[in-house]
Amino acid sequence: MTDVFGLSHKDASPAKDATPIQPVKHEQVVFCSDERSGLNAIIAIYSTALGPGLGGTRFYPYESEQAALADVLNLSRAMAYKNALAGLDLGGAKAVIIGDPAACKSEALLRAYGRFIQSLGGRYYTACDVGTYAEDMDIVARESSYVVGRTPEHGGAGDSSILTSFGVFQGMRAATEHVYGTSSLNGRRVGVEGLGKVGHRLVDHLVEDGAEVVVCDVSEQAVERVRQRHPSVEVVADTAALTAADIDVYAPCALGGSLDDATVPQLKAKIVCGAANNQLAHPDVEKQLAERGILYAPDYLVNSGGVIQVADEIEGFDMARARARAARIFDTTLKIFEMADVEGVPPGAAADRLAERRMSEVGRLRGIWLGR
Ligand SMILES: NC(=O)c1ccc[n+]([C@@H]2O[C@H](COP(=O)([O-])OP(=O)(O)OC[C@H]3O[C@@H](n4cnc5c(N)ncnc54)[C@H](O)[C@@H]3O)[C@@H](O)[C@H]2O)c1
């Protein structure tokens, strides 16, 4: 296995029997290393067509540098599409720090990482992701001006799940408008899988709008918190019970991959709309959903409220402005369902097309010379 960080310049040409590295479409991929602090990071900028690339920093004990590289390349591309659809003037990027955050996260490592971000001159803005928290971003920000997702004490946006759940709710309203002709969830039965930071807040929105809510979570504590706030909420044992339940909307808000060859045939809901990233276990699942007449609201569109919230820090955080921007997820979701119908493609493909169109049409304007 090639150790990317271990390569000297002399070693860097691929061995004859090595698998050829596929050319990437990314604008820039940067390997950052600081031996003393133990920093091994990769920053991938997929596109700056709409502005500086924004995407979080994942701190994770990858099995190999190849696994980390594959992850950061995929995640940075996904951020370009998410930011484009969210209407942000931001491109797509992401970073990974290789290692177990519990064992090797330190002030020196985070600050070394911050200096590498700073060295990119604003082409990359970072934020929190798996394994990194707002407090970590405060430390990274001591070395770099290009950090969002900081704590409110440092001008940050705070917990991004506030607008993530709000955005998912907007996407769900658009889906019910498309299917039932009304954007109200009043009287609909909604199944929420996962009652963490996003899921429990989504339940608040749903109950407030008059929906009947059915939930499940592997954590008894998470279930209890929701039951305390909303005694009317029905609890089922697990995901299998939830997908088989008599519900109108299924909202996956736990881990990715909850829609697969086993769950889709069971599903009674007419709509899937939730916060979890990568809900479809494989690309064919969207076709299976369409064949069963189930409307799928693309995950990266409806869960973009969080990135909208943290991106607002670049202008100086204002919750009212960020919330107004996240409310537009309703219109974008409706537009994508309409495009999907007209073009005869699944909503996921329509969402990709709309994102690509914006990157191309707005990105092209940089070619207009502004004079000196
Ligand atoms: N937090 C955000 O702002 C944000 C933004 C975009 C996307 N997302 C995505 O939304 C999802 C939820 O995020 P979160 O921040 O609420 O995470 P979280 O860790 O706070 O909550 C996840 C919850 O899911 C539960 N869970 C795990 N496995 C489960 C299972 N098999 N069945 C039922 N429940 C299960 C956990 O016990 C936990 O309560 C994740 O996929 C995340 O990537 C979150």
Side-chain angles (χ1 to χ4, degrees):
M1 195 179 301
T2 317
D3 174 358
V4 179
F5 285 106
L7 288 176
S8 69
H9 288 294
K10 213 173 93 201
D11 298 331
S13 56
K16 288 218 165 51
D17 58 352
T19 312
I21 293 173
Q22 295 299 318
V24 291
K25 288 188 173 168
H26 296 63
E27 277 179 28
Q28 191 176 15
V29 181
V30 183
F31 290 79
C32 318
S33 138
D34 176 58
E35 206 176 343
R36 283 281 292 276
S37 66
L39 175 74
N40 272 337
I42 311 173
I43 300 169
I45 300 174
Y46 179 76
S47 163
T48 56
L50 293 173
L54 166 66
T57 300
R58 186 162 291 192
F59 202 143
Y60 190 76
Y62 290 97
E63 271 176 20
S64 65
E65 279 125 358
Q66 277 78 7
L69 181 60
D71 206 26
V72 78
L73 293 178
N74 281 334
L75 292 166
S76 56
R77 182 178 182 280
M79 284 310 300
Y81 281 71
K82 180 184 275 203
N83 293 343
L85 268 195
L88 298 170
D89 288 339
L90 292 164
K94 196 90 180 183
V96 294
I97 298 178
I98 301 168
D100 177 358
C104 54
K105 197 188 282 178
S106 66
E107 180 191 344
L109 181 147
L110 291 170
R111 292 183 75 149
Y113 174 58
R115 292 186 73 81
F116 282 107
I117 295 173
Q118 188 66 11
S119 77
L120 294 174
R123 284 176 52 73
Y124 171 57
Y125 271 88
T126 199
C128 307
D129 194 71
V130 175
T132 54
Y133 300 90
E135 291 73 18
D136 300 328
M137 291 304 121
D138 288 345
I139 297 173
V140 176
R142 287 160 76 177
E143 302 292 341
S144 174
S145 326
Y146 308 111
V147 184
V148 295
R150 289 163 295 160
T151 60
E153 297 77 44
H154 286 88
D159 185 348
S160 65
S161 60
I162 296 171
L163 288 189
T164 301
S165 58
F166 176 70
V168 171
F169 180 61
Q170 299 310 317
M172 206 179 280
R173 289 178 58 242
T176 53
E177 171 80 47
H178 192 77
V179 172
Y180 301 109
T182 164
S183 61
S184 171
L185 270 298
N186 189 18
R188 300 273 162 231
R189 270 172 75 78
V190 182
V192 180
E193 176 200 38
L195 301 169
K197 294 186 288 298
V198 179
H200 89 272
R201 289 196 163 90
L202 178 62
V203 173
D204 291 346
H205 290 297
L206 291 167
V207 170
E208 198 190 344
D209 204 30
E212 291 171 31
V213 183
V214 190
V215 300
C216 76
D217 195 298
V218 289
S219 154
E220 188 47 46
Q221 213 182 351
V223 171
E224 214 30 61
R225 173 172 59 172
V226 167
R227 226 199 312 238
Q228 296 269 325
R229 282 173 71 82
H230 306 292
S232 64
V233 162
E234 188 185 325
V235 181
V236 295
D238 52 22
T239 301
L242 189 67
T243 49
D246 214 357
I247 50 175
D248 301 307
V249 184
Y250 169 51
C253 297
L255 307 177
S258 58
L259 291 156
D260 59 21
D261 298 333
T263 48
V264 173
Q266 283 212 343
L267 207 55
K268 294 234 177 85
K270 284 264 162 272
I271 293 167
V272 173
C273 178
N277 280 312
N278 305 318
Q279 289 164 27
L280 310 181
H282 56 81
D284 262 3
V285 172
E286 194 174 14
K287 212 170 111 218
Q288 294 172 25
L289 287 167
E291 281 166 4
R292 294 212 49 226
I294 300 168
L295 184 70
Y296 169 66
D299 47 15
Y300 77 86
L301 164 64
V302 300
N303 73 15
S304 61
V307 74
I308 290 172
Q309 184 174 331
V310 298
D312 198 80
E313 281 177 42
I314 297 171
E315 290 180 68
F317 183 62
D318 181 288
M319 188 51 134
R321 179 178 58 209
R323 196 179 154 92
R325 198 169 268 160
R328 289 188 213 137
I329 291 173
F330 176 85
D331 301 311
T332 313
T333 310
L334 259 190
K335 184 172 174 176
I336 278 164
F337 292 147
E338 281 155 19
M339 262 180 77
D341 287 349
V342 170
E343 296 177 18
V345 294
D352 287 354
R353 284 181 190 177
L354 193 61
E356 281 160 9
R357 199 185 299 163
R358 182 161 182 258
M359 281 189 261
S360 159
E361 287 177 2
V362 179
R364 180 191 70 76
L365 302 178
R366 302 277 169 86
I368 299 173
W369 177 243
L370 295 176
R372 288 180 194 281

